[in-house]
Amino acid sequence: KSFLRFFSESQETEKKFINYGKFYAGYSQYQQEKYAQALSSFKDFLDSDSISALTWNACIAASRCAVALNKKEEAFDFAEKALSSSKNNEEKRQSVILYAGILSDFAEYDRALQVLKPYKEIRDDFGFQCLYISAGILVQKKDYEGACILYEKLSEEKTAGKLAEESAYRTCELYFEQALYAEAVSKFEKYIKKYIAKSPSDSKAL
């Protein structure tokens, strides 16, 4: 029984190493920008992998290869698998941003917004990032009114840091781009008062 157990475990170990070899082959090909070969290697790895420590990494890399090859459905599929196979908050956050980014790159704006929706109301750095990206997607969608609403909401968040300032500026730009000049001037005046006039160098100049 001991020999049979040892033989069985040896086979499993060998199988695992062979499978890991497929992943590292794919990663090497990916680094060399051989995206078609890399995608094939990652697929082989994932087809024979039963959720390992490398599953998430393989899904992330495979989705990027698919984007480079303009295979949008495969890119969506692997990005979604990356999200579902995330093992911790950091991986989940990276997966959400990647998935939404891939969807918006292929003009699937509503789907991208749906991916971000559960997180953009959370008042932390990741939630603020999702809110900012959502506003940007609305700009791509040419929903400028909706984008302004989100940018203005983020600009009022006291703990959003640099994203709050960038959102305030983007709001000004969007009003100007829509030829709403009176509103744009008003927004720019508020922006200058809040972010520029308060800096020490500008205060002395004034």
Side-chain angles (χ1 to χ4, degrees):
K1 288 184 178 179
S2 296
F3 174 75
L4 289 174
R5 182 178 178 184
F6 172 77
F7 182 73
S8 177
E9 288 177 351
S10 296
Q11 284 186 315
E12 286 300 314
T13 301
E14 183 179 358
K15 189 185 297 183
K16 185 182 291 186
F17 279 124
I18 291 172
N19 203 32
Y20 281 2
K22 295 174 184 176
F23 170 82
Y24 288 112
Y27 189 74
S28 175
Q29 291 158 343
Y30 171 71
Q31 292 290 89
Q32 297 174 64
E33 299 183 2
K34 296 178 180 178
Y35 299 121
Q37 296 97 313
L39 184 58
S40 178
S41 296
F42 288 130
K43 283 181 180 178
D44 286 345
F45 169 77
L46 291 166
D47 285 344
S48 52
D49 180 48
S50 56
I51 306 299
S52 72
L54 296 174
T55 301
W56 179 80
N57 304 75
C59 289
I60 291 288
S63 66
R64 289 174 173 157
C65 289
V67 169
L69 296 167
N70 204 34
K71 295 184 175 183
K72 71 174 186 177
E73 293 304 327
E74 287 190 61
F76 299 160
D77 183 49
F78 285 118
E80 188 172 10
K81 285 178 180 176
L83 182 55
S84 64
S85 65
S86 301
K87 301 182 297 298
N88 52 55
N89 281 337
E90 182 57 31
E91 288 185 357
K92 186 174 184 179
R93 291 176 175 187
Q94 287 187 47
S95 300
V96 167
I97 300 301
L98 176 70
Y99 192 14
I102 290 173
L103 287 166
S104 63
D105 284 346
F106 285 104
E108 295 284 351
Y109 303 127
D110 291 332
R111 289 175 66 184
L113 291 168
Q114 281 300 117
V115 170
L116 295 165
K117 186 176 180 180
Y119 312 100
K120 68 184 179 68
E121 299 302 326
I122 301 172
R123 299 181 74 251
D124 63 12
D125 289 346
F126 178 62
F128 296 146
Q129 187 181 10
C130 289
L131 186 59
Y132 185 81
I133 294 170
S134 295
I137 291 171
L138 288 174
V139 172
Q140 289 179 285
K141 193 181 173 183
K142 301 191 186 305
D143 180 0
Y144 301 121
E145 183 179 353
C148 281
I149 290 171
L150 295 190
Y151 279 134
E152 288 191 87
K153 179 179 180 180
L154 185 52
S155 71
E156 293 168 2
E157 290 287 351
K158 295 180 180 179
T159 58
K162 192 67 178 176
L163 282 182
E165 180 179 350
E166 289 179 11
S167 296
Y169 188 81
R170 287 294 295 133
T171 303
C172 300
E173 284 189 325
L174 284 175
Y175 274 103
F176 184 81
E177 288 169 8
Q178 294 175 82
L180 299 171
Y181 301 122
E183 292 90 338
V185 168
S186 175
K187 297 292 181 184
F188 270 119
E189 286 175 345
K190 289 180 181 178
Y191 174 81
I192 291 168
K193 183 178 180 181
K194 186 173 182 178
Y195 294 106
I196 298 179
K198 281 188 176 181
S199 69
S201 58
D202 288 325
S203 295
K204 289 178 184 178
L206 293 171

